[in-house]
Amino acid sequence: MDEPHPTPAAAAGAAVALTGLRRSYGEIRAVDGVDLTIAPGEVVALLGPNGAGKSTTVDLLLGLSRPDAGGVRLFGRTPREAVQEGLVGAMLQSGGFPEELTAGEAVRLVAALQRRAMPPAEALRRAGVADIAGQRLGRMSGGQRQRVRFAAALVTDPDLLVLDEPTVAMDVRARREFWAAMRDYAGGGRTVLFATHYLAEAEEFADRVVLMRAGRIVADGSVAAVRSLAAGRVVALSLPGADPWALGALPGVADVRVDGDRVRLTCTDSDAALRALLHVHPTAHDIEVTAHGLEDAFVALTASEED
């Protein structure tokens, strides 16, 4: 479902207001009529498969690329004005600092270019890299470099923080620490927009999910609202020696996954599936019936593009 154009009143008070945004590369429409309004203080996850237009949308939002049509306003300003005033901080996949710089030097360099900035030591601490501030970037792991980029985005003390795949190359512990720092930062009423492939991050951290496909917004709402767009329910149960083919033939069952004794049935009609299942397999136990997760909604809403 496409979003309606933002009203003038909504756009005027918005942290982000994208209206009719379009950007093509030759015959490819990377962004195809995106309308999006983000209120101050919202934490929004931008999701979609590869080629959905997420990174292009982020580039247009930050003024790194010019749209073929449509407009961008950040706190009522153009992207350039908002960046120059220090209202926006960004952590992108591309670009970076010279490898001979230390983490501390990189963050201090960014701070020196700002009209306002938090103390570089504070940004390094928040990003969890204060202990490696004297280490050269060229000797760091990919995850450590990502966190230095995070510190460089934080040091501007922005009202809007834009993150494009921020936890790529981070291990599980680093990702947890990163999101703990993000929660602390966003808790002060800051606006955060992040694009990610890790759906669990969006499900846990975002107030709102915007799902893109083929350059368009196909879903926009709370995590619960987007999850509800995937019709049906999931039935999970324990059944030793389960036959996936036989289970798949039960009425109301659309998909079957078997992992050891544990079975997961994606159902269009969970009531019919359960009745038939218990008739054939009365020993089935530990049965759980749940709504679809965000991953199920993601697959359902993007299947036509990937097909």
Side-chain angles (χ1 to χ4, degrees):
M1 56 184 176
D2 289 340
E3 279 289 289
H5 287 274
T7 64
V16 175
L18 310 181
T19 308
L21 208 59
R22 298 182 187 275
R23 185 71 167 94
S24 296
Y25 297 97
E27 298 298 317
I28 300 174
R29 293 184 179 181
V31 176
D32 190 14
V34 166
D35 299 305
L36 178 65
T37 302
I38 300 175
E42 280 194 290
V43 178
V44 180
L46 185 61
L47 306 179
N50 290 331
K54 305 187 301 298
S55 292
T56 301
T57 299
V58 168
D59 286 348
L60 294 170
L61 184 153
L62 294 173
L64 300 176
S65 180
R66 298 186 65 179
D68 298 326
V72 179
R73 281 291 183 271
L74 307 178
F75 302 103
R77 300 159 173 80
T78 66
R80 173 174 289 186
E81 290 169 344
V83 171
Q84 287 178 339
E85 291 181 35
L87 298 175
V88 183
M91 178 181 173
L92 305 179
Q93 293 187 68
S94 58
F97 300 101
E99 293 191 346
E100 61 270 16
L101 289 181
T102 66
E105 289 170 342
V107 174
R108 287 193 293 273
L109 174 62
V110 173
L113 298 174
Q114 307 304 311
R115 294 184 181 180
R116 64 175 190 179
M118 71 170 63
E122 174 66 9
L124 290 163
R125 184 193 65 78
R126 284 174 175 255
V129 288
D131 59 332
I132 56 172
Q135 186 172 327
R136 297 192 185 280
L137 297 174
R139 296 184 178 181
M140 292 184 181
S141 67
Q144 288 174 323
R145 285 196 293 270
Q146 280 292 89
R147 295 176 75 171
V148 173
R149 288 179 177 176
F150 179 42
L154 284 180
V155 80
T156 64
D157 200 17
D159 294 317
L160 168 65
L161 192 56
V162 181
L163 313 168
D164 192 6
E165 301 292 348
T167 59
V168 168
M170 291 186 190
D171 59 26
V172 174
R173 179 180 176 181
R175 283 204 299 270
R176 288 176 179 171
E177 292 174 350
F178 172 84
W179 286 115
M182 279 301 309
R183 286 188 185 91
D184 180 61
Y185 187 77
R190 312 298 178 119
T191 308
V192 179
L193 173 65
F194 67 97
T196 181
H197 278 96
Y198 297 110
L199 301 187
E201 293 182 346
E203 199 156 11
E204 182 178 355
F205 184 70
D207 302 322
R208 175 179 166 196
V209 169
V210 175
L211 182 57
M212 294 188 69
R213 184 188 71 208
R216 293 174 175 265
I217 292 175
V218 295
D220 182 356
S222 67
V223 171
V226 173
R227 279 165 41 180
S228 70
L229 297 176
R233 291 181 176 272
V234 175
V235 177
L237 60 131
S238 293
L239 183 61
D243 180 356
W245 295 102
L247 292 172
L250 294 174
V253 174
D255 183 63
V256 179
R257 296 183 189 178
V258 177
D259 183 10
D261 291 345
R262 200 66 182 161
V263 177
R264 184 179 187 272
L265 307 177
T266 300
C267 303
T268 56
D269 186 340
S270 58
D271 292 336
L274 268 175
R275 283 193 293 267
L277 170 73
L278 292 173
H279 178 73
V280 179
H281 300 289
T283 59
H285 57 285
D286 294 335
I287 298 173
E288 299 176 10
V289 181
T290 60
H292 282 289
L294 187 57
E295 181 178 355
D296 298 296
F298 179 92
V299 171
L301 293 167
T302 61
S304 61
E305 180 190 30
E306 296 186 316
D307 289 345

